[in-house]
Amino acid sequence: MKQGEILYREGMPAEVLFAVSVGSFKTVVGGPEGTEQIAGFFIAGELVGLDGLSSGAYKSRATALEDSEVCLLAYSSLEQLGNEMPGFQRSLHAALSREILRAYSVMLMLSKLSARRRIAAFLLDLSARHAARGYAPDDFHLRMSRRDMGEHLGLRLETVSRQMGRLRDAGILEVDDKHVRVLDMHGLTKLAG
Amino acid sequence: MKQGEILYREGMPAEVLFAVSVGSFKTVVGGPEGTEQIAGFFIAGELVGLDGLSSGAYKSRATALEDSEVCLLAYSSLEQLGNEMPGFQRSLHAALSREILRAYSVMLMLSKLSARRRIAAFLLDLSARHAARGYAPDDFHLRMSRRDMGEHLGLRLETVSRQMGRLRDAGILEVDDKHVRVLDMHGLTKLAG
DNA sequence: CGGAAGATTGAGCGTAGTCAAACCGAGTGG
DNA sequence: CCACTCGGTTTGACTACGCTCAATCTTCCG
């Protein structure tokens, strides 16, 4: 699917789970206007759509940040597979539980970290996930706008821009619009810690 | 178990899920000191310990807010039951998914709401959950300290105290230490937005 | 080329954090 | 019975961080 297209929206019957195979997505929760919060960004190899499982309808909206592809995993077949192959349902449980932990860590960040440290923690998380997929951990392309970063981190887009600038001035990052190079990974880690 | 006792801590092997039967708990995530965040408060009828499922070890700490009792549900038996009774594993999925949604709504609150509105939203949530268990929705006892409320809402305890005072002055609440009466439920709802 | 959307930077303001003091109730011991 | 402490709560004064409003600049497409 193309950039900007919507994978699912709030209220749609949730019969499938999506595994991102290429590209990336954001998931948005909350009210119609102004009160939106980006629950997470998801890159290739990660699962999207876990929130639909409880009520049978999605409670969030997933949007492609770039041209992307997904695999569909039907919930019903997951259950069936779980019955046939022990350990399969366990991996679905694990995915759900990991999403809970990820949400907890976002809560922690929103609750305790200064704007600068939120940016640092966010970039480190992105870096680690890129590394886990075999990409360079210190050189990547941000797929989302400053506004999107802000709506995930609980900051205004101006604050995001300013703090990125300060990380650049401190010699920790090289920033060219959406392209980011980490010059001082240790410094970045210390900041986020 | 007695007030203040710990149901499980980070790192403990997670073989069971807990259903609160009487009393209440808080779950704490994050670093050893200063960087703690209360992921949630749980009252009778709610499930605690869902975060242990992904890695087999708890990633949070659960503490009794008052003298409490829990039911133990072994994960292994849950899987077995899931195989025998279709629909049983689905309810486990649903519980996990609901916890994800709950975490999302906390994220939304931390990200977008002012201190006053966080307090309002928190009290409303508590009210609704009490009501769901058959207790009065407009008259209840806070089981946690102001500090705990703050550590859940991303606020300092002084701010919690001040904003509660302002809700009292506005005629929305009657506050006597931990005892809260909602005088203007509509006003409270409007505030939480 | 022109228009729109995104990013950067600046100035001023307001909300919540910080530091500090006073208060209150429960529990302990003289 | 009062004095004392200790944890939790309330309230006050000041500060600082991030938000608001606004202007400028860049990039991307038609």
Side-chain angles (χ1 to χ4, degrees):
Chain A
M1 59 192 305
K2 301 297 266 180
Q3 173 175 4
E5 286 185 352
I6 291 177
L7 183 59
Y8 59 81
R9 13 167 67 89
E10 165 157 8
M12 272 175 55
E15 285 142 9
V16 293
L17 196 61
F18 302 95
V20 182
S21 53
V22 353
S24 52
F25 290 81
K26 63 175 175 182
T27 60
V28 183
V29 294
E33 216 29 67
T35 60
E36 290 194 341
Q37 157 79 4
I38 295 182
F41 298 106
F42 299 87
I43 64 174
E46 301 180 328
L47 289 179
V48 194
L50 291 164
D51 61 274
L53 208 39
S54 71
S55 66
Y58 295 112
K59 292 292 170 60
S60 61
R61 170 163 42 87
T63 308
L65 293 171
E66 58 190 308
D67 296 357
S68 303
E69 298 299 332
V70 293
C71 290
L72 276 61
L73 307 165
Y75 281 144
S76 57
S77 68
L78 288 177
E79 276 175 17
Q80 204 174 343
L81 273 168
N83 289 337
E84 290 160 9
M85 297 169 58
F88 198 93
Q89 67 174 291
R90 177 168 294 184
S91 65
L92 176 58
H93 293 165
L96 284 157
S97 184
R98 256 195 309 277
E99 178 64 8
I100 291 175
L101 291 175
R102 197 189 64 77
Y104 285 177
S105 83
V106 174
M107 285 169 49
L108 192 59
M109 178 205 70
L110 290 171
S111 166
K112 301 286 174 185
L113 269 51
S114 67
R116 183 104 65 98
R117 299 178 76 183
R118 288 186 207 184
I119 303 283
F122 175 72
L123 293 174
L124 269 180
D125 178 61
L126 231 51
S127 166
R129 283 155 65 197
H130 274 105
R133 306 292 164 202
Y135 300 112
D138 60 349
D139 191 313
F140 48 88
H141 201 79
L142 298 173
R143 299 298 177 175
M144 71 295 294
S145 68
R146 297 289 190 266
R147 173 181 296 276
D148 278 351
M149 282 180 63
E151 290 200 352
H152 179 53
L153 299 174
L155 301 169
R156 299 278 112 176
L157 65 97
E158 296 95 325
T159 303
V160 173
S161 182
R162 259 186 265 274
Q163 296 299 338
M164 299 268 292
R166 295 193 59 177
L167 290 175
R168 168 174 43 68
D169 295 347
I172 292 177
L173 299 181
E174 207 175 270
V175 181
D176 177 21
D177 201 4
K178 298 235 161 87
H179 184 87
V180 172
R181 269 188 42 144
V182 182
L183 301 177
D184 179 6
M185 186 64 81
H186 181 66
L188 194 64
T189 308
K190 219 170 52 183
L191 243 179
Chain B
M1 60 191 304
K2 298 299 261 180
Q3 173 175 4
E5 286 185 351
I6 292 177
L7 184 59
Y8 58 80
R9 13 166 68 90
E10 166 159 7
M12 271 175 57
E15 286 143 9
V16 292
L17 196 61
F18 302 95
V20 181
S21 53
V22 355
S24 51
F25 290 82
K26 63 175 175 181
T27 61
V28 182
V29 294
E33 216 28 68
T35 61
E36 291 194 341
Q37 157 79 4
I38 294 181
F41 298 106
F42 299 86
I43 64 174
E46 302 180 326
L47 289 178
V48 194
L50 291 164
D51 61 274
L53 209 40
S54 72
S55 66
Y58 295 112
K59 293 292 169 59
S60 61
R61 170 164 41 88
T63 308
L65 292 171
E66 57 190 308
D67 296 356
S68 304
E69 298 298 332
V70 294
C71 290
L72 276 62
L73 308 165
Y75 281 145
S76 57
S77 68
L78 290 177
E79 276 176 16
Q80 205 174 342
L81 273 169
N83 289 337
E84 290 160 9
M85 299 168 57
F88 198 93
Q89 66 174 292
R90 177 168 295 181
S91 65
L92 177 57
H93 294 165
L96 285 156
S97 184
R98 255 195 310 277
E99 177 65 8
I100 291 174
L101 291 175
R102 198 188 63 78
Y104 284 177
S105 82
V106 174
M107 284 169 50
L108 191 60
M109 178 206 70
L110 290 171
S111 166
K112 301 286 174 188
L113 268 50
S114 67
R116 184 106 64 101
R117 299 178 75 185
R118 288 185 208 183
I119 303 284
F122 175 71
L123 293 175
L124 270 181
D125 177 61
L126 231 50
S127 166
R129 284 155 64 197
H130 275 106
R133 306 290 164 205
Y135 300 111
D138 60 349
D139 191 313
F140 47 88
H141 200 79
L142 298 173
R143 298 300 178 174
M144 71 294 294
S145 67
R146 298 288 190 267
R147 173 181 296 275
D148 278 351
M149 283 180 64
E151 290 199 353
H152 179 54
L153 300 174
L155 301 169
R156 299 279 113 176
L157 66 99
E158 296 96 325
T159 303
V160 173
S161 180
R162 258 186 266 272
Q163 296 300 337
M164 298 267 294
R166 295 193 60 178
L167 289 175
R168 168 174 43 68
D169 296 347
I172 292 178
L173 298 182
E174 208 175 271
V175 181
D176 176 22
D177 200 5
K178 297 238 161 83
H179 184 87
V180 172
R181 270 187 44 139
V182 182
L183 301 176
D184 179 4
M185 187 64 80
H186 181 66
L188 194 63
T189 309
K190 219 172 52 183
L191 243 180

